[in-house]
Amino acid sequence: MTKKALITGITGQDGSYLADYLLSLGYEVHGLVRRVALEAPETRFSRITHLLDRVTLHPTSLESYASIFHVFSKHDFDECYHLAAQSFVAESFADGFSTMNMNINGTHYVLAALRELRPRCRFYFAGSSEMFGNVNEVPQNESTSFQPRSPYGISKVAGFHLTRNYREAYGLFCVSGILFNHESPRRGFEFVTRKTTSTVARIKLGLANELRIGNLDAKRDWGHAKDYVRAMHAMLQQAQPDDFVIATGQTHSVREFCEIAFAEVDLDYREFVKVDERYYRPAEVDLLIGDASKARRVLGWEPTYTFRELVKEMVASDLAELRSESAGGDFSRKGAKVQSSTNHV
Ligand code: G4F
């Protein structure tokens, strides 16, 4: 029988790759989207343009329990991937309140609606390596304690505990993936990797002359988002619900990322990168490196991209995108299957 999955955050990097992956496995895919997204599909749906005619979108507010309840009352999903969040760490310092509201209450609303209406539906929560924060062991695994360093990290720790609590208290199949940084050509421009590769492309084509950046010495365990969505799916196929760290096991500094990205277009990063205090955070997570041996053992999961391949692909994609924009490339509008909610939301 065809499995039915719901993805919150389907328009984001991970949601779009997960939708691609689930469709390739024969799933019926649904996604929650903000109502405002329907007003600007060219930008808001840019990552899912190619699959708009194969997914069903539900305009829903994650800030409204009624809105989420309505979607679950209409559809019997087998799996729910809760990826929607305010996911930019720097923004969480600027507005911790909305990050907390969206990330904690949004997660709680989805869990509560599942418990009430669809207790059979399996639930995935997008946890984060930001939960480890000021790490007390290297590398970090499922037993490493959480010492978050940002409102975002704190909100993810709360979501992780909510997910575990619904599993333990109500017997729901709820799991958290503790995913380390994962990037791709679909990454948002505010994150350091895409900010770098898009600026490298602009510099190469003579459209910019510098990259202003913050802490070059921060180290992250960067993988490819395409690899990481396979792990999300695998977690929901297990006999028992459990939490998993997903990471490459290698760490690189922001400086190394810049060095390789600029070298890809035969430029020396030292000539273009300018450190700018504005991009420093009030509290930084200096070093993240994950130990995904449990995922390898239990899920049979392996990353397929190396760090260099990831940087190379992102630079090549940004160059190609910019060249096609300059040549007058266009967004081809496709009709989305949108299911309207009732007027009570
Ligand atoms: O790319 P970032 O903004 O990602 P960050 O903060 O590590 O968070 C990402 O990964 C998490 C998984 O661990 C996710 F949960 C989270 O949602 C998000 O996807 O920053 C990476 C590092 C930081 O140390 C930051 O201080 O790069 C440093 N950095 C230096 N200059 C910068 C910049 N980050 C950004 N965004 N912009 C800069 O100019």
Side-chain angles (χ1 to χ4, degrees):
M1 215 172 67
T2 306
K3 276 194 178 178
K4 200 163 160 178
L6 177 70
I7 303 173
T8 77
I10 193 170
T11 58
Q13 168 188 259
D14 295 4
S16 65
Y17 279 122
L18 181 61
D20 286 338
Y21 185 56
L22 295 180
L23 286 168
S24 78
L25 297 177
Y27 276 70
E28 178 182 323
V29 176
H30 294 240
L32 298 191
V33 294
R34 292 168 210 246
R35 190 171 293 283
V36 288
L38 299 172
E39 288 160 19
E42 295 82 356
T43 46
R44 306 277 188 149
F45 294 163
S46 62
R47 297 182 182 95
I48 56 168
T49 310
H50 61 290
L51 42 77
L52 278 180
D53 49 4
R54 289 186 290 148
V55 296
T56 303
L57 302 179
H58 304 271
T60 307
S61 167
L62 273 178
E63 284 153 83
S64 153
Y65 180 67
S67 165
I68 295 163
F69 189 93
H70 175 75
V71 176
F72 282 109
S73 71
K74 298 279 176 205
H75 295 275
D76 192 4
F77 299 111
D78 298 287
E79 296 168 12
C80 170
Y81 296 86
H82 180 45
L83 313 183
Q86 193 302 99
S87 63
F88 187 33
V89 175
E91 170 60 22
S92 80
F93 283 109
D95 185 358
F97 295 97
S98 59
T99 301
M100 294 281 182
N101 273 339
M102 162 89 175
N103 295 3
I104 302 177
N105 292 341
T107 304
H108 200 179
Y109 293 151
V110 175
L111 282 165
L114 277 184
R115 180 187 167 215
E116 188 70 21
L117 297 169
R118 306 288 176 201
R120 198 189 55 82
C121 175
R122 296 184 168 203
F123 175 85
Y124 172 87
F125 172 68
S128 161
S129 53
E130 275 295 305
M131 303 191 305
F132 295 125
N134 202 9
V135 300
N136 63 3
E137 65 177 327
V138 179
Q140 297 86 51
N141 62 33
E142 293 80 2
S143 318
T144 304
S145 66
F146 298 143
Q147 307 198 65
R149 297 265 284 168
S150 63
Y152 169 83
I154 295 166
S155 74
K156 285 290 174 179
V157 171
F160 175 89
H161 286 303
L162 275 167
T163 303
R164 178 175 276 181
N165 190 241
Y166 268 74
R167 176 163 88 217
E168 293 174 356
Y170 309 118
L172 301 192
F173 192 111
C174 298
V175 307
S176 292
I178 306 174
L179 270 52
F180 282 62
N181 296 50
H182 43 288
E183 320 292 314
S184 75
R186 296 187 195 171
R187 190 56 146 148
F189 291 98
E190 66 272 42
F191 299 96
V192 76
T193 53
R194 187 76 194 281
K195 176 176 172 177
T196 300
T197 60
S198 60
T199 310
V200 163
R202 290 174 63 75
I203 291 173
K204 184 67 183 174
L205 299 189
L207 301 169
N209 51 24
E210 63 176 20
L211 168 63
R212 301 197 80 84
I213 209 160
N215 183 3
L216 283 170
D217 297 317
K219 289 182 148 188
R220 290 291 184 274
D221 179 331
W222 277 298
H224 197 297
K226 241 190 214 177
D227 282 336
Y228 287 39
V229 300
R230 285 190 290 106
M232 297 176 187
H233 175 256
M235 284 179 219
L236 292 194
Q237 313 313 310
Q238 301 306 299
Q240 298 299 327
D242 203 356
D243 307 319
F244 291 91
V245 159
I246 302 298
T248 69
Q250 289 180 19
T251 195
H252 297 275
S253 63
V254 173
R255 186 188 306 280
E256 279 174 86
F257 191 98
C258 291
E259 191 177 349
I260 297 173
F262 277 91
E264 269 301 308
V265 294
D266 303 318
L267 296 175
D268 183 339
Y269 82 99
R270 288 169 297 190
E271 290 174 28
F272 300 95
V273 170
K274 306 273 181 296
V275 171
D276 188 330
E277 295 286 322
R278 280 182 304 162
Y279 297 107
Y280 272 76
R281 295 176 180 175
E284 175 67 287
V285 171
D286 296 318
L287 165 72
L288 287 174
I289 176 165
D291 170 7
S293 46
K294 180 174 158 189
R296 286 172 199 263
R297 197 177 63 249
V298 179
L299 306 177
W301 178 84
E302 292 278 347
T304 63
Y305 280 80
T306 65
F307 178 64
R308 268 180 194 276
E309 286 167 347
L310 169 69
V311 184
K312 201 181 168 75
E313 184 186 311
M314 290 180 71
V315 172
S317 166
D318 274 318
L319 267 177
E321 202 169 293
L322 214 51
R323 284 190 174 124
S324 106
E325 265 172 34
S326 340
D330 203 10
F331 172 89
S332 62
R333 200 171 171 144
K334 284 195 192 167
K337 271 189 281 172
V338 178
Q339 245 176 49
S340 87
S341 48
T342 56
N343 52 14
H344 75 269
V345 292

